Amino acid sequence: MGIEEYGGGQGPRPDVLVVTTNDIPGHRVTEVIGEVFGLTVRSRHVGSQIGAGLKSLVGGELKGLTKTLVETRNQAMERLVEQARARGANAVLAFRFDVSEAADVGTEVCAYGTAVVLARE
């Protein structure tokens, strides 16, 4: 697997900029729209659980699970961006991920932040 399968985030020049910071140099917030989030819950695949169990005996990265988590985080982020865009935002500030177990059957990934309208200074 190549590095492109383990990455995420946005491509160049997105229409809704997502950043982990509270501000963006050269821009000012003209409107705070409010919290937005993207949520997804993924169940564990029985085969991957068995493989992960065997791999944990010898150590090393669980590549299948890593790839699944990357895909899950990317899906949550895409949903966050869709919600921000639908509410008229052109940026999301203070972006974060929250990951938790969902009723012992899967993993819940929530991408969240504050949707805003930015203007160049």
Side-chain angles (χ1 to χ4, degrees), residues 14 26 62 69 78 109 114:
L62 305 173
L69 186 54
E78 288 168 9
V109 175
T114 302

Side-chain angles (χ1 to χ4, degrees), residues 43-55 62 64-65 68:
S43 65
R44 294 184 195 96
H45 183 277
V46 172
S48 69
Q49 282 184 295
I50 292 169
L54 294 173
K55 184 72 169 184
L62 305 173
L65 291 176
T68 298

Side-chain angles (χ1 to χ4, degrees), residues 52-91:
L54 294 173
K55 184 72 169 184
S56 68
L57 295 174
V58 295
E61 182 180 11
L62 305 173
K63 291 184 180 183
L65 291 176
T66 299
K67 186 175 178 187
T68 298
L69 186 54
V70 167
E71 291 169 353
T72 303
R73 288 173 65 127
N74 287 342
Q75 183 179 49
M77 186 171 176
E78 288 168 9
R79 290 177 178 177
L80 166 112
V81 168
E82 288 172 13
Q83 188 182 78
R85 184 183 298 118
R87 294 179 62 191
N90 64 359

